[in-house]
Amino acid sequence: MTQAARTRPAPIPDAADEDGRAAGYSPEGPTQRSPEHGSPDRDQPAYDLIELLFFAYRDFVADPDRILAEYGFGRAHHRVLHFVDRHPGLTIAELLDILRITKQSLNRVLKELIEQGYIAQRTGTSDRRHRLLTCTPQGRALAQRLAGVQGERVRRALAEVGPALREPAGRFLLAMIEPEERAAVSRLIGGEASAEIPAEIQAEIRAGSPSADGARP
């Protein structure tokens, strides 16, 4: 994703209140609209989709939040674990490009995950200045436990609306991404790893399955 990095927006720091509840909202309460928002027209925001995305995301992250709380981790830890598990051998620069957070925020989260035995760092083979990130067996177990609960929510939703909607749903979500980023995101989702993975890491990935020791704190 390095080509798109030239046009990407500035990284955003972690929001301290990201996991907090919004004050004053009542699902049963009336929808607030300003007077100038009379009858809907094509220039009006798509409030229904905006709010559905909000509530879908709220519940999508609530499932892993409950698990993360057992470990004293937050959503930033989840994102790092997810992408390192999916793409072993990522460099810190590549992870920053994916997450779009500040280097300071990433360093804080990585330090905790490394010290607690969930992430390992290795020296790059082609460039020894690089630090290649991989999940330990404990880290893989936690990452896959988190992905499991989110995957179950996605499966339930597809079962309700019908599997035929999976492809158009994917196209819709891809279209929400900035046009210049879509090719890189598609490659990443497709499993292409741009980092050089040392042979010993590849062997460990092929031979190892997540350890049961990482399934619970």
Side-chain angles (χ1 to χ4, degrees):
M1 297 180 72
T2 54
Q3 184 176 5
R6 299 190 189 96
T7 58
R8 73 187 186 190
I12 56 173
D14 288 347
D17 61 348
E18 180 186 10
D19 298 335
R21 293 182 178 274
Y25 172 76
S26 170
E28 293 78 22
T31 302
Q32 297 292 326
R33 292 287 189 270
S34 58
E36 63 272 19
H37 288 168
S39 58
D41 59 48
R42 63 182 181 180
D43 296 325
Q44 290 292 329
Y47 284 113
D48 55 344
L49 293 179
I50 290 170
E51 291 168 8
L52 281 170
L53 282 169
F54 170 82
F55 289 114
Y57 176 76
R58 180 197 67 181
D59 291 352
F60 181 69
V61 297
D63 298 324
D65 279 352
R66 287 186 283 271
I67 297 172
L68 290 162
E70 300 173 18
Y71 297 78
F73 291 156
R75 293 176 188 171
H77 300 84
H78 183 189
R79 296 182 192 115
V80 170
L81 280 168
H82 176 88
F83 283 105
V84 173
D85 178 57
R86 289 275 291 148
H87 305 281
L90 275 179
T91 65
I92 290 176
E94 288 170 329
L95 192 53
L96 283 169
D97 193 31
I98 292 169
L99 299 180
R100 301 290 167 79
I101 60 175
T102 62
K103 190 172 184 179
Q104 181 180 11
S105 296
L106 178 60
N107 286 344
R108 173 182 57 81
V109 171
L110 263 182
K111 183 173 184 290
E112 293 175 356
L113 289 170
I114 291 170
E115 288 180 349
Q116 296 186 42
Y118 293 91
I119 296 284
Q121 285 190 109
R122 312 231 183 176
T123 302
T125 54
S126 59
D127 188 339
R128 296 189 63 82
R129 294 172 299 179
H130 287 167
R131 293 294 179 266
L132 308 184
L133 303 173
T134 57
C135 282
T136 64
Q138 177 176 277
R140 288 199 69 202
L142 177 54
Q144 293 182 14
R145 184 183 173 199
L146 295 167
V149 295
Q150 290 188 314
E152 179 57 31
R153 181 173 290 273
V154 171
R155 283 191 294 273
R156 289 201 310 266
L158 286 173
E160 285 189 30
V161 302
L165 287 183
R166 176 170 183 157
E167 193 272 338
R171 285 193 287 112
F172 170 77
L173 291 173
L174 187 64
M176 291 283 289
I177 298 168
E178 292 294 330
E180 65 273 14
E181 294 283 337
R182 293 172 193 168
V185 168
S186 295
R187 288 194 299 270
L188 186 74
I189 293 172
E192 291 187 21
S194 56
E196 181 179 353
I197 305 177
E200 64 270 20
I201 297 180
Q202 296 184 39
E204 288 176 10
I205 294 168
R206 286 194 300 269
S209 58
S211 167
D213 295 338
R216 293 289 186 277

